[in-house]
Amino acid sequence: MIELQEGEHVVLKARKRWFALFSHALTMAVIAVFPVVFISGFGIPFLYTINAGLVAGITGHDVLFYSTAWILFVWVMFVAMWTNYYMDVLIITNQRLIDMEQFILFSREEVSIPLDKIQDITIEIKGVLQTMFKFGRVEIQTAGTEREAVMEDIKDPEQVKRSIDELLLTIPKNVSSPIEKTKE
Amino acid sequence: MISLYIFLAELVFFLIMTGLFEYHWRGHDFDGKTHVMIRAWYYSISAICLLVMAGVVIGAL
């Protein structure tokens, strides 16, 4: 949870486009149903196995139990993946830019960049899908040579750039604040 | 009997992951609607799976 300073308010929160998660979700769905489809493909309709005995001693209840256990496992893994996706967020306040990136459940990086430290903002929208669904890459360059904040697959990068540009016009030029970076 | 052990292992796994999820969902900046939605989906689907598994285990016992 971010703590806002006095006089600070959130202007925009930008997350990754749902499309970034879609391909992973589709893969998880295929993995979840594959065992059931695999068994059904051997001439054993899943819906009819509940009350019927099968070859090699596998009962319909076994199929139901192990399929459900597998689906629950894959579902929990998907929710972990969704949590990682949702916790990647770019927060723009009237004083700074906060880039939060969740790598896995126990690995997180937060970069807080005061607006007066921003030198350059680059957005990149490549390809048909990114153009159609309006998502792309945002890179924030500060005074150093290394890019401090990079967000991939972010929703509406043009709006993000516009918001930052508007805020940059409002900040005084003689204020100097440090860039903070924390890793967990 | 093996299905009972698998059910218990799955239950422990579910409880550990739920603890981790709640830690992250509460500790970070989710809006109210997202909080409600993710919990609704997560707990309802997980409950259905666990109930089905519990039913099979009880039936087998």
Side-chain angles (χ1 to χ4, degrees):
Chain A
M1 186 94 70
I2 61 161
E3 286 180 16
L4 297 177
Q5 296 162 7
E6 195 180 328
E8 186 178 18
H9 63 269
V10 175
V11 173
L12 182 72
K13 271 191 212 173
R15 285 193 163 87
K16 292 186 179 182
R17 207 65 170 112
W18 61 268
F19 200 81
L21 187 65
F22 180 70
S23 59
H24 298 295
L26 199 60
T27 307
M28 300 289 263
V30 169
I31 291 170
V33 301
F34 178 74
V36 179
V37 172
F38 181 75
I39 293 170
S40 299
F42 276 75
I44 308 167
F46 177 69
L47 291 177
Y48 297 103
T49 61
I50 304 299
N51 296 318
L54 303 175
V55 186
I58 302 171
T59 66
H61 291 93
D62 290 333
V63 172
L64 180 64
F65 179 82
Y66 290 111
S67 298
T68 308
W70 177 246
I71 287 169
L72 178 61
F73 176 76
V74 174
W75 168 244
V76 172
M77 290 293 105
F78 172 74
V79 172
M81 192 173 65
W82 180 90
T83 302
N84 284 342
Y85 147 80
Y86 199 79
M87 287 173 68
D88 286 347
V89 60
L90 183 67
I91 300 172
I92 303 168
T93 74
N94 60 327
Q95 294 179 8
R96 56 188 167 139
L97 192 141
I98 305 163
D99 177 25
M100 295 181 170
E101 194 166 348
Q102 187 82 25
F103 299 107
I104 54 175
L105 284 180
F106 294 107
S107 180
R108 182 174 176 80
E109 183 180 82
E110 288 182 19
V111 179
S112 178
I113 303 170
L115 291 178
D116 60 330
K117 283 284 186 291
I118 296 173
Q119 297 280 323
D120 178 61
I121 308 158
T122 305
I123 63 170
E124 201 174 275
I125 301 174
K126 271 186 184 175
V128 176
L129 288 173
Q130 289 195 353
T131 306
M132 277 176 61
F133 293 103
K134 285 191 181 177
F135 66 98
R137 181 184 165 100
V138 174
E139 294 177 355
I140 310 290
Q141 176 81 56
T142 58
T145 54
E146 188 184 317
R147 294 201 183 275
E148 291 291 342
V150 178
M151 281 271 297
E152 301 280 358
D153 301 327
I154 196 164
K155 188 164 60 177
D156 205 353
E158 289 166 344
Q159 172 62 36
V160 171
K161 185 175 184 300
R162 266 197 304 275
S163 298
I164 298 173
D165 284 340
E166 285 166 11
L167 287 168
L168 286 174
L169 293 172
T170 64
I171 57 165
K173 298 296 178 191
N174 58 348
V175 175
S176 184
S177 317
I179 297 170
E180 294 169 15
K181 188 183 269 194
T182 55
K183 278 189 182 185
E184 292 174 12
Chain B
M1 202 63 183
I2 193 169
S3 58
L4 176 63
Y5 295 138
I6 292 172
F7 173 71
L8 290 173
E10 191 90 28
L11 187 62
V12 168
F13 168 73
F14 168 75
L15 290 172
I16 291 170
M17 293 304 289
T18 301
L20 290 173
F21 291 150
E22 285 292 344
Y23 168 76
H24 280 83
W25 295 342
R26 290 177 192 207
H28 296 282
D29 204 16
F30 281 32
D31 61 72
K33 191 172 112 177
T34 307
H35 263 127
V36 168
M37 276 181 60
I38 186 61
R39 281 195 175 89
W41 278 103
Y42 176 67
Y43 286 116
S44 56
I45 291 178
S46 302
I48 290 168
C49 291
L50 287 169
L51 283 172
V52 168
M53 290 172 68
V56 174
V57 168
I58 290 167
L61 291 174

